[in-house]
Amino acid sequence: MKSMMMKSGLLAAAAVLALTAGVSADPVDEQLVIDGQEMITRAKAPEGHPFDEVLSGWLYREAETRKLEEDSFDNPGMLSVEEGEEIWNTVEGTAGKSCASCHDDAADTMAGIAANYPKWDPDAKRPINIELQINKCREENMGAEPYAFDKSGQKELTAYIKHQSLGDPVSVDLSQGEMQQWWERGKDVYYTRTGQLNLSCASCHEQNNGNYIRADHLSQGQVNGFPTYRLKTGLTSLHNRFRGCVRDTRAEIPKAFSDDLMALETYVTWRGTGLSVETPSVRQ
Amino acid sequence: MRRWTTLAVAASVSMLATSAFAADVPPKEVAFGDDGVTASLTGTPGDPKHGAEVFKSRKLGNCLACHANEEMSGELFHGTVGPALDGVADRYDEGYLRAIVVNAKAIFTEETVMPGFYSLDLGADVAEEFQGKTILSAQDVEDVVAYLETLKE
């Protein structure tokens, strides 16, 4: 990097600009209640977090978008959750089992489970998320093929399982296995600038949350609502969103569930510690 | 007189032989000095009208993504990531404006999120189609700078 000598005049001008830069539009001060259940959309940040408070992306959205999430009948993502419920009860694979064959009623057996994912997978020696947990179950217990990324109902079944934790605060256990090392790696990924545009996750979601990039009100980039219903793209998985963001920096798109993206999922999930699971959230 | 003509012909032939833009200063050779980048990147004066197009086009500069600009109030969705550019020509000389557009990180700090529009100092894992390429061409930069020069209050 070639750096140049700066004149004091330029420094002064830059300082003035810095002061006037970023006319931020604050996130709203409202309470999200879904079907009568209060969601935690503001939480005290865990120790070592760059922010004092973590904020749900719901607070950054327009009033109409926020409203869609407040009622299950209005939330378009709930149709996918219902599809997920059908998959839960559908027998597949050589063992002749459905998810329900072993796990019965998800409302009981899956309650609160997804709020603690990703977890350490001692078999694979890496973090495991809901999508990969489903695939593991399909291969090991159902005798079924693992889902390809974003295919065959993976998003819908994931949304259904995560929805059983609606309202529960996100909490990942970094003391399991090597989760702490994966968290560190995820932090590196988060702060690595990529692509021709030379931007990291932090460029937008840490340095500029509250600002607008064109029509997008930049949020903290929390992941507590995934899979999320995006008005632009419908039900959208977390790794799809990661890939979209990296693509927009004009970088090579990382593979879904690759080590880098599993590390990133671990790290950004931790960045939302204490926020309610909102799956399926409604976003722009 | 005759000699000059011959030289000129030889020069234009050699330009054709290499690249149509052989006269452009390559990204790695842009000279940053105390007054920014004072020399034109192309030797061809910037066209402010095309510069305005580059400024607002999402496929080119997309400057509006981050900077509000009162002069383009007819355009929707001005960003707030960077400072508003109203009167920017009153605050910076042409050399500084060119330097900021070429590579803001060389003028401000590494921390700025502003991409370098005529720089090969890029992020990690640049997609194949963008490798070794700058966001804007040298002439696009000159045109944007010429447009910015018109933003006076």
Side-chain angles (χ1 to χ4, degrees), chain A residues 1-7 10 13-14 16-18 20-25 192-199 202-204 207-208 210-215 218 247 249-253 260, chain B residues 28 30 32-36 56 58-59 62 64-66 76-77 79-83 91-92 96 103 105-108 110-113 115 121-128 130 133-135:
Chain A
M1 168 58 60
K2 192 181 280 183
S3 98
M4 65 169 288
M5 299 287 289
M6 279 191 277
K7 278 186 167 177
L10 176 63
V16 168
L17 282 177
T20 54
V23 185
S24 95
T192 298
R193 290 167 176 267
T194 57
Q196 191 191 40
L197 300 190
N198 210 355
L199 299 168
S203 302
C204 289
Q207 286 180 259
N208 281 293
N211 286 325
Y212 280 87
I213 190 156
R214 280 279 186 177
L218 293 169
R247 177 203 60 213
T249 71
R250 301 185 177 176
E252 288 298 338
I253 305 174
D260 272 352
Chain B
K28 286 182 191 293
V30 177
F32 285 76
D34 285 353
D35 297 318
K56 65 184 165 197
R58 284 171 168 80
K59 293 203 185 302
N62 200 13
L64 271 182
C66 292
L76 289 172
F77 306 127
T80 59
V81 167
R91 297 191 290 278
Y92 293 101
Y96 286 142
N103 188 3
K105 290 177 184 68
I107 282 282
F108 300 128
E110 280 285 339
E111 291 305 302
T112 183
V113 299
D121 184 25
L122 308 175
D125 306 326
V126 175
E128 205 176 343
F130 298 110
K133 291 180 186 162
T134 57
I135 301 170

Side-chain angles (χ1 to χ4, degrees), chain A residues 31-92:
Chain A
Q31 177 63 51
L32 172 59
V33 181
I34 301 177
D35 299 345
Q37 189 184 356
E38 277 196 16
M39 298 290 130
I40 306 160
T41 55
R42 290 174 182 266
K44 188 176 181 300
E47 206 179 313
H49 198 293
F51 300 140
D52 295 331
E53 193 179 30
V54 296
L55 303 175
S56 163
W58 182 81
L59 300 167
Y60 292 81
R61 300 278 59 88
E62 299 290 327
E64 312 84 76
T65 312
R66 291 201 306 274
K67 200 161 187 320
L68 284 173
E69 196 181 320
E70 290 172 7
D71 188 314
S72 292
F73 286 103
D74 295 336
N75 184 340
M78 287 304 292
L79 291 172
S80 301
V81 168
E82 283 169 27
E83 285 175 47
E85 183 174 13
E86 280 179 35
I87 296 169
W88 178 268
N89 292 304
T90 303
V91 172
E92 257 194 275

Side-chain angles (χ1 to χ4, degrees), chain B residues 39-51:
Chain B
S40 165
L41 303 177
T42 63
T44 305
D47 168 14
K49 203 161 164 239
H50 184 248

